[in-house]
Amino acid sequence: VPPAMGELTLARLAACAVLAGCRPEYFPVVVAAAKGALDPAFNLHGQAVTTQPAGQLIVVYGPVRHRLQMNTGMGALGPGNRANLTIGRALRLMVTLTGGGRPGTLDRSTLGHMGKVGFCIAEDEEVSPWPPLSVERGFEPDQDVVTVIGCDAPQSISDHRSRTPEDLAWVLAWAAATTWSTNWWPMQEPSVFVICPEHAAMFREHGWTKQRLREYMYEAVHKPAGELRRGETTPLVHASDPAAEIYKWASPEAIVLLVAGGEAGRYS
């Protein structure tokens, strides 16, 4: 386990789960999340030692959400409930206790965020107008699947007044334009949008597919390179003509869409 490369056994991972407050039936999800986080492609080492605030978000799909009574609704990004909170906490204890990624030692995060305590949600597949991310990535709808995402702290986007899907998509996209850094355009890494049920309902009512929403959001957010030449920006911005339009994301596929949250309140 990075960064100190402590040896992880199932017994040690189980100890982390017990310390986190997991019930025994949560453990398969913890194991799956650990396997995902320890895949070298996930770069847990980089996330564990960087000065950037990255934590790890676990997203759960499939029937296991109901078996474990996971919270997909109100307060989904907060403590959620016991299953949500303790599964996320178990993974973080693996990083800190077995991996040695503790603040002030190998974890050099300038600020950190609460996702470093424990961060786990379940997608509300029944409310979503779209196939879940797990199905997009090749799994069957009845499979229990875990996705692990290295993430910044969440940003709340309030929109109670849009009356068309175009307006709402524009607001959501531009709210994320400052992701990573205000002038860091284009961004290769994904931005993950957790769409609340009221916002999702508008896209459902107007027949918007997930791909249509992605493409609209991508096309909505662009600026002339000349306006992006302040502070932290990209080589592409410096190399471009000042009038050339630069998009926030490298492609529509960098926009990842999930659905969760309470049935009232237009906050995504």
Side-chain angles (χ1 to χ4, degrees):
V1 180
M5 304 311 290
E7 182 184 11
L8 184 68
T9 63
L10 278 174
R12 286 182 178 178
L13 187 60
C16 291
V18 171
L19 287 170
C22 289
R23 291 180 169 143
E25 57 266 30
Y26 304 170
F27 194 52
V29 179
V30 175
V31 172
K35 287 180 177 179
L38 294 175
D39 185 319
F42 186 66
N43 190 22
L44 182 60
H45 187 278
Q47 295 170 40
V49 300
T50 181
T51 53
Q52 196 265 348
Q56 290 79 47
L57 170 64
I58 302 168
V59 188
V60 182
Y61 308 90
V64 70
R65 298 168 302 128
H66 301 304
R67 293 199 304 273
L68 303 186
Q69 298 181 321
M70 298 188 75
N71 177 26
T72 63
M74 195 174 297
L77 290 178
N81 64 10
R82 180 172 179 168
N84 295 43
L85 184 60
T86 61
I87 291 169
R89 181 66 179 144
L91 183 69
R92 284 300 308 170
L93 287 173
M94 179 195 82
V95 176
T96 56
L97 298 181
T98 305
R102 289 186 292 276
T105 56
L106 293 176
D107 182 347
R108 308 305 296 176
S109 180
T110 307
L111 291 173
H113 74 91
M114 291 305 289
K116 282 180 172 283
V117 176
F119 207 9
C120 174
I121 67 171
E123 183 163 13
D124 195 337
E125 300 175 36
E126 291 73 26
V127 167
S128 175
W130 309 303
L133 182 64
S134 58
V135 172
E136 284 188 89
R137 294 185 171 180
F139 296 94
E140 296 299 324
D142 60 350
Q143 282 186 277
D144 296 328
V145 178
V146 166
T147 294
V148 190
I149 301 167
C151 66
D152 272 353
Q155 172 191 356
S156 175
I157 307 167
S158 173
D159 187 306
H160 291 72
R161 301 190 180 184
S162 288
R163 293 296 177 263
T164 68
E166 289 83 2
D167 282 354
L168 179 55
W170 189 94
V171 168
L172 293 172
W174 272 100
T178 58
T179 301
W180 181 259
S181 191
T182 304
N183 293 330
W184 193 269
W185 299 37
M187 197 169 71
Q188 302 287 338
E189 295 76 18
S191 290
V192 178
F193 291 82
V194 182
I195 308 298
C196 72
E198 284 200 61
H199 285 166
M202 178 177 287
F203 296 120
R204 181 198 298 275
E205 288 162 11
H206 290 83
W208 278 43
T209 64
K210 192 180 280 191
Q211 188 60 25
R212 181 178 178 182
L213 177 55
R214 273 198 203 100
E215 290 175 358
Y216 189 95
M217 292 168 74
Y218 169 78
E219 292 290 344
V221 184
H222 53 85
K223 281 185 177 182
E227 294 184 14
L228 297 168
R229 290 179 179 170
R230 290 189 176 189
E232 188 169 81
T233 189
T234 62
L236 178 64
V237 167
H238 286 300
S240 298
D241 182 276
E245 291 292 318
I246 308 293
Y247 288 81
K248 175 61 184 183
W249 295 283
S251 71
E253 284 60 44
I255 295 170
V256 175
L257 301 165
L258 314 174
V259 174
E263 66 279 1
R266 296 170 64 93
Y267 298 95
S268 287

